[in-house]
Amino acid sequence: MTVMEQRGAYRPSPPPAWQPRTDPAPLLPNDEPYRVLGTAAAAEADPALLRRLYAELVRGRRYNTQATALTKQGRLAVYPSSTGQEACEVAAALALTDRDWLFPSYRDTLAAVARGLDPVQALTLLRGDWHTGYDPREHRVAPLCTPLATQLPHAVGLAHAARLKGDDVVALAMVGDGGTSEGDFHEALNFAAVWQAPVVFLVQNNGFAISVPLAKQTAAPSLAHKAVGYGMPGRLVDGNDAAAVHEVLTAAVRHARAGGGPTLVEAITYRVDAHTNADDATRYRGDAEVETWRGHDPIALLEHELTERGHLDEAGIGAARDAAETMAADLRARMNQDPVLDPMDLFAHVYAEPTPQLREQQAQLAAELAAEGDPR
């Protein structure tokens, strides 16, 4: 008899049956990007909504081209164009109610304008002459965020606080595919899912983080698949199909408002222009690729659907273009006026109660200005 037999051999019992806390199947995204335009679902879409989306897309395209021209004239320091991504921008703005909050990235000036922000105010930060250029509380649009993904935890915090207060508020946070490689993305999604915060995350996957293609950022089947790891639903949508993006985001906002928690939406789109006016996109992508995506232009897709169904005629197309030109002319005229700058504004809107150091600096600047004969 062996020693183990003498002592009584340890026979471990089989492990207890394990079940995941959440069934992952409903959280997984659809296999193909969801589409409305060009499908049977388009017949069910509200024509008035489609026409509104179309008008905003046309205005947004003109806004992008005008802002890009302003950089060449030296009126803007930099402009990250969203040409080709207008469907995501407009749909994000229109999916929200007045009480909701939009958390944009630096490329999402168009979304802020579509939400009602003054076009000049939306460009103020990129002009480099003021803190933000608008009152975030008034417009329920957080400051344009230049650091990648740092706006996402802010969106979660606001949404969670609103729910604790009993406010019926949803936050929609926009981020690019490059932003999903940041730690802030992980932290935001994890906290949002654990807290079941009323947040919608919209990833505009335009193929590149500046010059880095998506394949060098992640090996995931899609960015929407990342949602299941956090315990929230992931949705995949054609980001150039304005009707589809609006439908998916509206459903996600409704889900969040009803207490269902966050959703991660990945919109497959393309950045037609360079990363910014300082970028040479020809160094990392070819013209053929760009032209292929021009054939899937969000304005052309929606215009074709509307005209084919008899919901838009030449007069309607002309009216949308005329309104866009009027906006561009006003933007051009106002941006060509040199702003009146007050150096003392450096100390405004930094802290609700200025710190002793800030007051000391403020007094020092005031003394220097007075010495130079400036009454401020």
Side-chain angles (χ1 to χ4, degrees):
M1 180 178 292
T2 66
V3 173
M4 288 296 293
E5 289 174 331
Q6 291 175 347
R7 295 179 179 177
Y10 171 69
R11 294 182 177 85
S13 59
W18 178 84
Q19 292 294 331
R21 284 173 291 178
T22 302
D23 180 6
L27 306 181
L28 290 171
N30 31 309
D31 293 333
E32 295 291 330
Y34 177 66
R35 296 181 177 88
V36 169
L37 302 179
T39 74
E44 305 298 323
D46 179 7
L49 172 63
L50 296 184
R51 284 192 293 267
R52 185 183 178 194
L53 287 168
Y54 175 76
E56 289 291 346
L57 290 182
V58 172
R59 186 173 77 130
R61 177 65 54 83
R62 188 65 185 90
Y63 176 81
N64 273 316
T65 57
Q66 184 59 69
T68 300
L70 288 169
T71 63
K72 298 176 181 178
Q73 299 164 8
R75 290 296 180 180
L76 280 178
V78 66
Y79 184 68
S81 173
S82 58
T83 296
Q85 300 179 216
E86 292 93 347
C88 298
E89 301 281 311
V90 169
L94 298 191
L96 298 174
T97 66
D98 291 342
R99 62 188 179 278
D100 297 326
W101 275 79
L102 178 71
F103 283 77
S105 74
Y106 57 86
R107 196 178 301 281
D108 301 322
T109 49
L110 176 54
V113 171
R115 184 148 168 78
L117 190 64
D118 184 306
V120 172
Q121 290 183 337
L123 294 174
T124 301
L125 179 66
L126 301 174
R127 198 177 193 179
D129 63 12
W130 214 56
H131 294 289
T132 297
Y134 57 90
D135 182 355
R137 289 179 179 268
E138 176 186 353
H139 300 282
R140 301 249 168 169
V141 177
L144 295 171
C145 188
T146 302
L148 291 186
T150 56
Q151 75 275 20
L152 304 187
H154 299 165
V156 176
L158 181 141
H160 181 57
R163 191 181 65 170
L164 292 177
K165 291 173 61 180
D167 294 342
D168 187 18
V169 169
V170 173
L172 192 155
M174 305 177 72
V175 68
D177 51 285
T180 66
S181 299
E182 296 289 328
D184 294 86
F185 175 82
H186 158 75
E187 292 155 6
L189 268 69
N190 192 55
F191 275 119
V194 170
W195 289 338
Q196 287 293 281
V199 188
V200 177
F201 299 99
L202 172 60
V203 178
Q204 295 180 83
N205 179 3
N206 63 21
F208 293 91
I210 307 183
S211 60
V212 180
L214 184 66
K216 291 187 177 182
Q217 297 180 59
T218 180
S222 74
L223 295 175
H225 276 82
K226 291 179 178 287
V228 68
Y230 297 101
M232 69 177 70
R235 297 293 177 259
L236 193 61
V237 63
D238 183 341
N240 287 21
D241 184 333
V245 180
H246 184 271
E247 181 181 326
V248 170
L249 290 179
T250 300
V253 169
R254 187 185 307 116
H255 176 77
R257 200 184 310 282
T263 300
L264 174 64
V265 177
E266 178 187 0
I268 307 297
T269 184
Y270 195 77
R271 190 192 75 218
V272 172
D273 289 344
H275 175 69
T276 69
N277 53 294
D279 173 42
D280 180 7
T282 62
R283 298 180 64 182
Y284 54 84
R285 67 183 189 186
D287 292 340
E289 177 180 314
V290 177
E291 288 307 311
T292 297
W293 276 95
R294 287 188 189 277
H296 194 60
D297 181 84
I299 297 177
L301 290 174
L302 187 51
E303 184 176 298
H304 176 76
E305 189 73 47
L306 284 167
T307 53
E308 284 292 300
R309 295 188 178 278
H311 300 317
L312 184 70
D313 55 17
E314 288 299 323
I317 294 172
R321 292 176 179 173
D322 289 345
E325 286 301 325
T326 299
M327 178 276 301
D330 178 70
L331 176 62
R332 187 166 56 247
R334 293 165 62 199
M335 289 294 291
N336 282 333
Q337 299 173 8
D338 290 329
V340 178
L341 304 179
D342 183 353
M344 300 306 292
D345 278 346
L346 287 168
F347 307 97
H349 312 296
V350 180
Y351 293 101
E353 180 63 34
T355 63
Q357 294 86 354
L358 201 64
R359 287 195 294 267
E360 179 182 349
Q361 295 168 18
Q362 186 176 18
Q364 181 180 346
L365 179 58
E368 292 175 359
L369 292 173
E372 295 174 0
D374 191 321
R376 289 172 293 195

